[in-house]
Amino acid sequence: MKPLWENYFNKNKMDNPVIQTLRTIPIFKDLTSKEFQEISRLVHKRNYKKGEVIFKKDAPGEGMYVILSGSVKIKDPDSGIIFASLSNDNFFGEMALLDEEPRSAQAEATSPSDLIGFFRTDLKSLIARFPEMGNKILLNLSQVLAERLRKANKLLEENSK
């Protein structure tokens, strides 16, 4: 049995559910505990009801979202095509960290959902204040986008046969 004072004075900073979830996201891989603490101060936690739109197609892209809990579908509201159904520890909208192009799809909560928003302004702030951490995130983001592009190319190739 641990003494009460040990629990009081030695709180584990990794008990933070936001940091625990961010640790699972490839864009934030290889960051130190101190860097996760810094990011956790910048991100924005938001709650969405079932059926609530997180962002609309053609809206300005501002940043990415990470799902703490709940579920989200990414779809084309015009055709009804669902591009992805995502749940806990998944992320979406990451291309908006790099440019201000309009959203190519709509994101909608399919159950009550708690999301973490990490926006372009947050990334720019990190790059200015902590260039090494900003570079890690940008490199990881590039790797994620390259992997997704490869998968999209493979699907196009398979569908053209």
Side-chain angles (χ1 to χ4, degrees), residues 2-144:
K2 291 185 178 182
L4 179 62
W5 61 267
E6 182 179 8
N7 291 335
Y8 181 76
F9 289 108
N10 190 18
K11 287 190 176 185
N12 183 355
K13 293 180 181 176
M14 293 304 115
D15 286 343
N16 180 335
V18 169
I19 292 175
Q20 287 177 347
T21 298
L22 290 174
R23 284 186 175 279
T24 68
I25 305 304
I27 292 170
F28 302 112
K29 76 175 182 179
D30 301 327
L31 296 184
T32 66
S33 294
K34 185 177 178 181
E35 290 169 333
F36 276 111
Q37 287 293 329
E38 191 61 42
I39 289 175
S40 73
R41 287 190 279 274
L42 288 175
V43 297
H44 313 272
K45 188 174 175 192
R46 296 188 176 165
N47 310 91
Y48 293 89
K49 298 175 185 159
K50 180 179 180 178
E52 190 172 355
V53 173
I54 299 156
F55 56 73
K56 294 182 179 181
K57 181 179 179 178
D58 297 324
E62 298 172 339
M64 68 177 278
Y65 293 87
V66 176
I67 304 171
L68 273 174
S69 65
S71 56
V72 172
K73 67 181 169 186
I74 310 299
K75 70 177 190 173
D76 182 334
D78 303 324
S79 68
I81 295 172
I82 296 175
F83 300 115
S85 294
L86 307 169
S87 59
N88 299 12
D89 299 341
N90 273 295
F91 61 98
F92 57 95
E94 66 281 356
M95 287 193 305
L97 291 173
L98 298 176
D99 64 25
E100 297 178 21
E101 288 297 308
R103 299 284 188 178
S104 59
Q106 175 173 298
E108 180 181 315
T110 54
S111 68
S113 300
D114 294 327
L115 305 182
I116 304 167
F118 181 66
F119 301 107
R120 188 179 321 102
T121 54
D122 302 325
L123 180 57
K124 286 182 176 181
S125 173
L126 279 176
I127 291 168
R129 292 174 40 225
F130 307 102
E132 187 175 327
M133 180 176 26
N135 284 334
K136 284 183 199 177
I137 292 170
L138 286 173
L139 181 60
N140 292 338
L141 177 59
S142 299
Q143 291 170 344
V144 166

